[in-house]
Amino acid sequence: MIKKLLFLLLFCNLGYSQVVINELDCDTPSTDTKEFVELKSATPNFSLNGYVLAFFNGSASGGNKCYFVVDLDGITTDGNGIATVGGSLLSPTPNRYITDNSIQNGADGVGLYLGDAADFILFGSDPVNATVASTTNLVDAIVYDTADVDEPGIMTALGETITWDEGTTSTAVTQSLQRKTDGTYEAKAPTPGANNDGTGIVYNGILVNVNTAHKNEGDNFIITFTTQTNVTSDLNLTFVLNNGTFTTADFTGITSVTIPTGLNTISTSIQITDDALNEGDEILNIQVGAVPAAYSKLNDNIEIRVIDNDFIVATWGTPLNPTHGLVANTKPVGYYSSLEGLSGAALKQAIQNIIANPSVVRAHNYGDIWDILKVADQNPLNSNQIWMMYTEAPRAKLDQQIGNSIVGKWNREHIYCQSRGGFADGTSSNADGINVWLPTGPNDIMAGHADVHHLRAEDGQENSIRSERNYGTDYNGPVSSQGSWHGDVARAVFYMSVRYNGLNVINGNPPHDPDGFIGDLATLLTWNTADPSDDFEMNRNNYIYTWQVNRNPFIDYPDLADYIWGTHVGEPWFSTLSTDEFSQLKVTMYPNPAKEYIMISGLTSVAKIEIYAMTGVKVYQGDYNNNDQLNLNLASGMYMVNVKEGDKTTVKKLIIK
């Protein structure tokens, strides 16, 4: 707990009534970017060193435990005795920013304590030992909700007798809870940074105006500073743009301005440097420096995305426009030699002996997955982006989900979902790099939590939509999906079902309870054939091997699935039966996308053509001569074209407009 000396000094000199929780807004429009807690000191310009705000979950499942904490060291209240902590779009700007959507809606509690953040154990890091709400060292508290059922437990824990309601479900987003002079609270329109009764000093607000649309290297943009009323003497303002890797080397322009006496606005121009460096996309952050005592900042920390035009384009294609044979398979010589001639259960066991070998294979943490996916799932067309599997689209690596909001963000999708696998939260969220790992084996089910062979970069909202649904029988991706990910998920599920004891893939739409079952096997076997492995998959298989020192054998040899679960069960498997089709038959199919016909060149004799819909239904079959025009009458969508010449075969994806 806190140092005894600090407590005695604060208690003796200040008393508990020196600072109170003056206003709380836990529910704001959209993604809670304007939520805040406002504090008020009995005297102005009061230091909050030695104070801390702790937030407690008052629900029965939350156990009155601390889920969030904000240390107030370094904050000083203003001339009205006001200080705020709040979200990214709060105006006037808070004294300390908190992550958007951090404050729960209730029934919950907030306590102002003497102490610091280190005194509190958060539920998210240690659910068992998380700090429980109490009145020890408590200065002030509020228990609140948004039209929820009151929770007596949190009131008792914080010594409160009333739960204050921010409003009904329709009004809570437009109201805050504001302290009145008698110590009670009322719900009304928020007044962050000002006395609740409208009295006191009225500050001249400074607003920063800028076009926040994405900028390209070489672009010029204008920043305008405007005060609410004309200034009575020259107002000098400074600002910086530095943020992470975005430094003064990335732009030119003057970063100080003066609004002349009698006016209320000034503008300045910034030129983004167009260099030849592949630094990746960056975010500049307009941060205004300290302002005079008579002024307040209405907004600050304005972010603008800067798109790097020096990105790298890979030689292979995206899953939507796949290539084959351009990425070499880096499996070690003899890696699969022990599989030769085996069948059935013996074949499956031999595969597991390779990919779950305790003396070779390495287990990493869930926190490392972010760094791995930024390489393994990199968009071949732009090295500054990742490729999202289900939505079949790129997204900037910078749009990685950090906070609670998933809108416009990408995150980590478990193909064999955590709830079905029984390995939810099985590894640490702290990244410790490629050189820190633990040995693992076939019974180490928790390692599945961070096994990258079944983790993919995905749109946050689509990830939530998929949830724990089974493939085929329940989940088939977005309505617009062209199925470029079908084979990928099949081969990932096959891998997990062999790598870990207790994981199974079965037919139908099994529930998630008990753990260890996912479906639909019949669909996945079809997808494995209809959407063959491509260079994108081979590249990620190669890269994951450098971390985990194991490979997904169903990418290297997709037909293995049929020898374990499909049409070749019981037959002996030989690598010579799994030759690389794409290295044997070199043909070109065009136009693609097509409307009414296609042509294929590179054939030396009559070939057999079969065209399949993504559902697995054959829609065309016939003979074909090199460079003939093959007229088609197909509905728009994606198809698989199987071309066979003699004993050589290749499969091409065809898009019909």
Side-chain angles (χ1 to χ4, degrees), residues 434-475:
I434 192 171
N435 294 319
V436 179
W437 51 272
L438 291 173
T440 181
N443 295 316
D444 182 14
I445 193 67
M446 289 302 171
H449 178 243
D451 193 320
V452 202
H453 283 302
H454 85 121
L455 281 155
R456 292 290 290 265
E458 190 49 68
D459 171 73
Q461 291 174 289
E462 189 61 33
N463 190 344
S464 294
I465 291 172
R466 188 262 163 148
S467 185
E468 60 179 26
R469 295 158 65 187
N470 290 297
Y471 294 106
T473 55
D474 192 6
Y475 180 76

Side-chain angles (χ1 to χ4, degrees), residues 225-241:
F225 300 85
T226 303
T227 55
Q228 292 174 306
T229 61
N230 291 347
V231 301
T232 56
S233 61
D234 287 359
L235 174 60
N236 300 313
L237 299 173
T238 62
F239 64 95
V240 296
L241 305 180

Side-chain angles (χ1 to χ4, degrees), residues 10 18-19 39-41 45-52 71-77 81-85 95 112-113 115:
L10 288 170
Q18 179 67 48
V19 186
L39 304 171
K40 185 173 178 62
S41 59
N45 305 311
F46 179 78
S47 172
L48 296 180
N49 288 343
Y51 288 86
V52 61
D71 201 305
L72 303 178
D73 287 351
I75 296 176
T76 300
T77 62
I82 297 292
T84 58
V85 297
N95 297 80
L112 176 66
Y113 288 87

